[in-house]
Amino acid sequence: MRLLLVEDDVMVASGIKLGLCDAGYTVDWVPSAERAEPALKSDSFDLAIVDIGLPGVDGLELTRRLRTQGLKMPVLILTARDALFDRVQGLDLGADDYMVKPFELPELLARLRALLRRSQAATSAVLGFGPVEMDTAQRRITLSGQPMELGPREWTVLEYLLLQAPKPAAKDKLLQALTGWDKEITPNAIEVYISRLRARLEPAGVCLRCIRGFGYRLELTGDSVEVASR
């Protein structure tokens, strides 16, 4: 999942970005609303984390502009302001959640998971498809009941596929989920991660089918179809 962090305090932004990257997210950081707006127009993000006290245009006005422009991705506001009026105003302007600084990273991660599940119409931190089960809160994956270890990029690809299943996942969305501004990943790199996942999943009856010109879809084959239907 690719997140945009809008925070003007370099030390705070560095700490948040480090924690989110360690949790498996791809994070791009900008220090102002003026930098955030063109970024959101030119790139695809799954969620934005916005500080209220930004220089120039503040986070509340940025949130209002995003909703006015029709951007529907979740927005989580971070702020040192804890007055009821500020919380109500932020939510009324289109924010999906509100956290007051200082905060604990585990709570931020839990709120992000909840917002991302809601945006993808998922209701649980545990994603499943046939014999595959991914616990996004505990960062654990099992395949046919056995633990499966994945690298961070394979995890990101599989998580996105599971969120979309049984619908196909667009290749460009997978690329966006993996790409940060400080990392260049070519479209061909997606094929590498898909190939690695396919080698792990197919023996358990999970097919990773290529949808020509669009992307990829998880499908069940053989015994896995019977297990999933029980």
Side-chain angles (χ1 to χ4, degrees), residues 119-148:
S119 70
Q120 299 289 341
T123 58
S124 170
V126 179
L127 306 175
F129 188 80
V132 182
E133 188 172 278
M134 172 184 282
D135 188 328
T136 60
Q138 300 297 322
R139 298 291 294 178
R140 289 198 298 256
I141 305 176
T142 58
L143 180 63
S144 300
Q146 298 300 311
M148 182 170 69

CSV table of all heavy atoms in Angstrom, one decimal, residues 119-148:
chain,number,residue,atom,x,y,z
A,119,SER,N,-11.8,1.2,2.9
A,119,SER,CA,-11.7,1.7,1.6
A,119,SER,C,-11.7,0.6,0.5
A,119,SER,O,-12.2,0.8,-0.6
A,119,SER,CB,-10.5,2.6,1.4
A,119,SER,OG,-9.3,1.8,1.4
A,120,GLN,N,-11.3,-0.6,0.9
A,120,GLN,CA,-11.3,-1.7,0.0
A,120,GLN,C,-12.5,-2.7,0.3
A,120,GLN,O,-12.5,-3.8,-0.2
A,120,GLN,CB,-10.0,-2.5,0.2
A,120,GLN,CG,-8.7,-1.7,-0.1
A,120,GLN,CD,-8.6,-1.4,-1.6
A,120,GLN,OE1,-9.2,-2.1,-2.4
A,120,GLN,NE2,-7.8,-0.5,-1.9
A,121,ALA,N,-13.4,-2.2,1.1
A,121,ALA,CA,-14.6,-3.0,1.5
A,121,ALA,C,-14.2,-4.3,2.2
A,121,ALA,O,-15.0,-5.3,2.1
A,121,ALA,CB,-15.4,-3.3,0.2
A,122,ALA,N,-13.1,-4.3,2.9
A,122,ALA,CA,-12.8,-5.5,3.7
A,122,ALA,C,-13.2,-5.2,5.2
A,122,ALA,O,-13.2,-4.0,5.6
A,122,ALA,CB,-11.3,-5.7,3.7
A,123,THR,N,-13.6,-6.2,5.9
A,123,THR,CA,-14.1,-6.0,7.2
A,123,THR,C,-13.2,-6.5,8.3
A,123,THR,O,-13.5,-6.4,9.5
A,123,THR,CB,-15.5,-6.7,7.4
A,123,THR,OG1,-15.3,-8.1,7.1
A,123,THR,CG2,-16.5,-6.1,6.4
A,124,SER,N,-12.1,-7.2,8.0
A,124,SER,CA,-11.3,-7.8,9.0
A,124,SER,C,-9.8,-7.6,8.7
A,124,SER,O,-9.5,-7.4,7.5
A,124,SER,CB,-11.6,-9.3,9.1
A,124,SER,OG,-10.6,-10.0,9.9
A,125,ALA,N,-9.0,-7.6,9.7
A,125,ALA,CA,-7.5,-7.5,9.5
A,125,ALA,C,-7.0,-8.8,8.9
A,125,ALA,O,-5.9,-8.8,8.4
A,125,ALA,CB,-6.8,-7.2,10.8
A,126,VAL,N,-7.8,-9.9,8.9
A,126,VAL,CA,-7.3,-11.1,8.3
A,126,VAL,C,-7.9,-11.3,6.9
A,126,VAL,O,-9.2,-11.3,6.8
A,126,VAL,CB,-7.7,-12.3,9.2
A,126,VAL,CG1,-7.3,-13.6,8.5
A,126,VAL,CG2,-7.1,-12.2,10.6
A,127,LEU,N,-7.1,-11.3,5.9
A,127,LEU,CA,-7.5,-11.5,4.5
A,127,LEU,C,-7.4,-13.0,4.1
A,127,LEU,O,-6.3,-13.6,4.4
A,127,LEU,CB,-6.7,-10.6,3.6
A,127,LEU,CG,-6.7,-9.1,3.9
A,127,LEU,CD1,-5.7,-8.4,3.0
A,127,LEU,CD2,-8.1,-8.5,3.9
A,128,GLY,N,-8.3,-13.5,3.5
A,128,GLY,CA,-8.2,-14.9,3.1
A,128,GLY,C,-8.7,-15.2,1.7
A,128,GLY,O,-9.6,-14.5,1.1
A,129,PHE,N,-8.1,-16.2,1.1
A,129,PHE,CA,-8.5,-16.7,-0.2
A,129,PHE,C,-8.1,-18.1,-0.3
A,129,PHE,O,-6.9,-18.4,-0.5
A,129,PHE,CB,-7.9,-15.9,-1.4
A,129,PHE,CG,-8.5,-16.2,-2.7
A,129,PHE,CD1,-9.7,-15.6,-3.1
A,129,PHE,CD2,-7.8,-17.0,-3.6
A,129,PHE,CE1,-10.2,-15.9,-4.4
A,129,PHE,CE2,-8.3,-17.3,-4.8
A,129,PHE,CZ,-9.5,-16.7,-5.2
A,130,GLY,N,-9.1,-19.1,-0.3
A,130,GLY,CA,-8.8,-20.5,-0.3
A,130,GLY,C,-7.8,-20.8,0.8
A,130,GLY,O,-8.1,-20.5,2.0
A,131,PRO,N,-6.7,-21.4,0.5
A,131,PRO,CA,-5.7,-21.8,1.6
A,131,PRO,C,-4.8,-20.7,2.1
A,131,PRO,O,-4.0,-20.9,3.0
A,131,PRO,CB,-4.9,-23.0,0.9
A,131,PRO,CG,-4.9,-22.6,-0.5
A,131,PRO,CD,-6.3,-21.9,-0.8
A,132,VAL,N,-5.0,-19.5,1.5
A,132,VAL,CA,-4.1,-18.4,1.9
A,132,VAL,C,-4.8,-17.6,3.0
A,132,VAL,O,-6.0,-17.2,2.8
A,132,VAL,CB,-3.8,-17.5,0.7
A,132,VAL,CG1,-2.8,-16.4,1.1
A,132,VAL,CG2,-3.2,-18.3,-0.5
A,133,GLU,N,-4.1,-17.3,4.0
A,133,GLU,CA,-4.6,-16.4,5.1
A,133,GLU,C,-3.5,-15.4,5.5
A,133,GLU,O,-2.4,-15.8,5.9
A,133,GLU,CB,-5.1,-17.2,6.3
A,133,GLU,CG,-5.8,-16.4,7.3
A,133,GLU,CD,-6.4,-17.3,8.4
A,133,GLU,OE1,-7.5,-17.8,8.2
A,133,GLU,OE2,-5.8,-17.4,9.5
A,134,MET,N,-3.9,-14.1,5.4
A,134,MET,CA,-2.9,-13.1,5.7
A,134,MET,C,-3.5,-12.3,6.9
A,134,MET,O,-4.6,-11.7,6.8
A,134,MET,CB,-2.7,-12.2,4.5
A,134,MET,CG,-1.8,-10.9,4.8
A,134,MET,SD,-1.6,-9.8,3.4
A,134,MET,CE,-0.4,-10.7,2.5
A,135,ASP,N,-2.8,-12.2,8.0
A,135,ASP,CA,-3.1,-11.4,9.1
A,135,ASP,C,-2.3,-10.1,9.0
A,135,ASP,O,-1.1,-10.0,9.3
A,135,ASP,CB,-2.8,-12.1,10.4
A,135,ASP,CG,-3.3,-11.4,11.6
A,135,ASP,OD1,-3.4,-10.1,11.6
A,135,ASP,OD2,-3.7,-12.0,12.6
A,136,THR,N,-3.0,-9.0,8.6
A,136,THR,CA,-2.3,-7.7,8.3
A,136,THR,C,-1.9,-7.1,9.6
A,136,THR,O,-0.9,-6.2,9.6
A,136,THR,CB,-3.1,-6.8,7.5
A,136,THR,OG1,-4.4,-6.5,8.2
A,136,THR,CG2,-3.4,-7.4,6.1
A,137,ALA,N,-2.5,-7.4,10.7
A,137,ALA,CA,-2.2,-6.8,12.0
A,137,ALA,C,-1.0,-7.4,12.6
A,137,ALA,O,-0.1,-6.8,13.1
A,137,ALA,CB,-3.4,-6.9,13.0
A,138,GLN,N,-0.9,-8.8,12.6
A,138,GLN,CA,0.2,-9.5,13.1
A,138,GLN,C,1.3,-9.7,12.1
A,138,GLN,O,2.4,-10.3,12.5
A,138,GLN,CB,-0.3,-10.9,13.6
A,138,GLN,CG,-1.3,-10.8,14.7
A,138,GLN,CD,-0.8,-10.1,16.0
A,138,GLN,OE1,0.3,-10.3,16.4
A,138,GLN,NE2,-1.7,-9.3,16.6
A,139,ARG,N,1.1,-9.3,10.9
A,139,ARG,CA,2.1,-9.5,9.8
A,139,ARG,C,2.5,-11.0,9.7
A,139,ARG,O,3.7,-11.4,9.6
A,139,ARG,CB,3.4,-8.7,10.1
A,139,ARG,CG,3.1,-7.2,10.1
A,139,ARG,CD,2.8,-6.6,8.8
A,139,ARG,NE,3.9,-6.7,7.9
A,139,ARG,CZ,3.8,-6.2,6.6
A,139,ARG,NH1,2.7,-5.7,6.1
A,139,ARG,NH2,4.9,-6.3,5.8
A,140,ARG,N,1.5,-11.8,9.5
A,140,ARG,CA,1.7,-13.3,9.4
A,140,ARG,C,0.9,-13.8,8.2
A,140,ARG,O,-0.2,-13.3,8.0
A,140,ARG,CB,1.3,-14.0,10.6
A,140,ARG,CG,2.2,-13.8,11.8
A,140,ARG,CD,1.9,-15.0,12.9
A,140,ARG,NE,0.6,-14.9,13.4
A,140,ARG,CZ,0.3,-14.5,14.6
A,140,ARG,NH1,1.2,-14.0,15.4
A,140,ARG,NH2,-1.0,-14.5,15.0
A,141,ILE,N,1.5,-14.7,7.5
A,141,ILE,CA,0.8,-15.4,6.4
A,141,ILE,C,0.9,-16.9,6.6
A,141,ILE,O,1.9,-17.4,6.9
A,141,ILE,CB,1.4,-15.0,5.0
A,141,ILE,CG1,1.4,-13.5,4.8
A,141,ILE,CG2,0.6,-15.7,3.9
A,141,ILE,CD1,2.1,-13.1,3.5
A,142,THR,N,-0.2,-17.6,6.3
A,142,THR,CA,-0.2,-19.0,6.3
A,142,THR,C,-0.7,-19.5,5.0
A,142,THR,O,-1.6,-18.9,4.4
A,142,THR,CB,-1.0,-19.6,7.5
A,142,THR,OG1,-2.4,-19.2,7.4
A,142,THR,CG2,-0.5,-19.3,8.8
A,143,LEU,N,-0.2,-20.6,4.5
A,143,LEU,CA,-0.6,-21.3,3.3
A,143,LEU,C,-0.9,-22.7,3.6
A,143,LEU,O,0.0,-23.5,4.1
A,143,LEU,CB,0.5,-21.2,2.2
A,143,LEU,CG,0.1,-21.8,0.9
A,143,LEU,CD1,-1.1,-21.1,0.2
A,143,LEU,CD2,1.3,-21.8,-0.1
A,144,SER,N,-2.2,-23.1,3.5
A,144,SER,CA,-2.6,-24.4,3.9
A,144,SER,C,-2.3,-24.7,5.4
A,144,SER,O,-1.9,-25.8,5.7
A,144,SER,CB,-2.0,-25.5,3.0
A,144,SER,OG,-2.4,-25.3,1.7
A,145,GLY,N,-2.4,-23.7,6.2
A,145,GLY,CA,-2.2,-23.8,7.6
A,145,GLY,C,-0.7,-23.7,8.1
A,145,GLY,O,-0.4,-23.7,9.2
A,146,GLN,N,0.2,-23.6,7.1
A,146,GLN,CA,1.6,-23.5,7.4
A,146,GLN,C,2.2,-22.1,7.2
A,146,GLN,O,1.8,-21.4,6.2
A,146,GLN,CB,2.4,-24.5,6.5
A,146,GLN,CG,2.0,-25.9,6.7
A,146,GLN,CD,2.3,-26.4,8.1
A,146,GLN,OE1,3.3,-26.2,8.7
A,146,GLN,NE2,1.2,-27.1,8.7
A,147,PRO,N,3.0,-21.6,8.1
A,147,PRO,CA,3.6,-20.3,7.9
A,147,PRO,C,4.3,-20.1,6.6
A,147,PRO,O,5.0,-21.0,6.1
A,147,PRO,CB,4.6,-20.2,9.1
A,147,PRO,CG,4.1,-21.2,10.1
A,147,PRO,CD,3.6,-22.3,9.3
A,148,MET,N,4.1,-18.9,6.0
A,148,MET,CA,4.8,-18.6,4.7
A,148,MET,C,5.6,-17.3,4.9
A,148,MET,O,5.0,-16.3,5.2
A,148,MET,CB,3.8,-18.6,3.6
A,148,MET,CG,4.5,-18.3,2.2
A,148,MET,SD,3.3,-18.5,0.8
A,148,MET,CE,2.2,-17.1,1.1
